[in-house]
Amino acid sequence: MLIEVNVEDCYGLADADNRPENQPSGEIAAETWEHWFSVWLKNQEADVPVAPGYEVSLRLTADPDIQALNAQYRQLDRPTDVLAFAALEVNCPQLEEMQSSEPLYLGDIVISIDTAQRQAQQQGHPLKTELAWLASHGFLHLLGWDHPDEASLTEMLDRQETLLRAIGLEIQTP
């Protein structure tokens, strides 16, 4: 399954040479993101409509930016770790020829590097692991997963662990 990941690095993780000393390291190459999402897509094959390819937008940003989005779209005026905006939730008719030739746009994932860094430190794992954890969470939301109750949250967190293991990462529980 082919997936294209458009990474918008508003935080500067990819520009390690020009990053101020107080910004966290742990940059992840665009190719790595594409590999991860490709593995996850194969793992979640049952959750995605058949298409010639898939597309996801990933934005890495800071707390003020994600706080503004959280306030605008969730009416929660505080930073959060990850937001997902699923394109598949919109009932927009597509021409049959587009469905057979164009990649299916799954949606947008926005991750706060500031919050991810704090959470990685609290959990005692690398920033890279936390970013993969948050991206997998957002990805599941793009595919229609949700966690309105404790049982569905547990199921979703278990699936995230499966997705991380599929790319060779593990979350160590304290």
Side-chain angles (χ1 to χ4, degrees):
M1 294 183 145
L2 177 65
I3 187 164
E4 181 180 336
V5 181
N6 300 310
V7 180
E8 183 182 5
D9 184 357
C10 299
Y11 200 84
L13 283 182
D15 190 13
D17 294 336
N18 295 321
R19 184 184 346 52
E21 285 185 34
N22 64 342
Q23 282 188 352
S25 63
E27 50 280 331
I28 299 169
E31 296 80 21
T32 301
W33 285 114
E34 283 201 3
H35 170 72
W36 288 356
F37 280 101
S38 177
V39 169
W40 297 341
L41 188 63
K42 286 177 188 161
N43 192 284
Q44 294 300 121
E45 201 169 358
D47 291 341
V48 294
V50 175
Y54 302 88
E55 189 176 344
V56 170
S57 247
L58 174 65
R59 180 178 183 152
L60 305 173
T61 193
D63 275 351
D65 187 32
I66 207 164
Q67 180 172 344
L69 292 169
N70 205 23
Q72 181 178 356
Y73 292 102
R74 297 179 64 222
Q75 290 69 54
L76 298 172
D77 192 15
R78 63 179 182 261
T80 189
D81 50 6
V82 61
L83 292 171
F85 301 95
L88 296 179
E89 292 177 355
V90 179
N91 289 329
C92 179
Q94 290 189 353
L95 298 174
E96 190 174 316
E97 61 194 41
M98 278 182 64
Q99 291 175 330
S100 64
S101 64
E102 296 293 321
L104 179 61
Y105 186 65
L106 299 176
D108 303 316
I109 300 170
V110 182
I111 297 175
S112 170
I113 300 298
D114 295 331
T115 300
Q117 180 66 33
R118 285 192 303 274
Q119 290 176 175
Q121 289 173 343
Q122 291 167 354
Q123 296 296 321
H125 55 243
L127 176 60
K128 178 180 179 178
T129 302
E130 186 66 21
L131 291 173
W133 176 257
L134 295 173
S136 68
H137 188 85
F139 184 68
L140 290 173
H141 277 302
L142 296 186
L143 300 183
W145 287 65
D146 203 2
H147 45 85
D149 55 48
E150 199 63 36
S152 58
L153 176 61
T154 299
E155 184 180 356
M156 191 166 175
L157 296 176
D158 288 346
R159 181 52 57 126
Q160 281 178 248
E161 287 182 25
T162 300
L163 295 178
L164 260 59
R165 280 194 302 276
I167 59 168
L169 297 175
E170 295 241 2
I171 293 286
Q172 303 296 326
T173 51

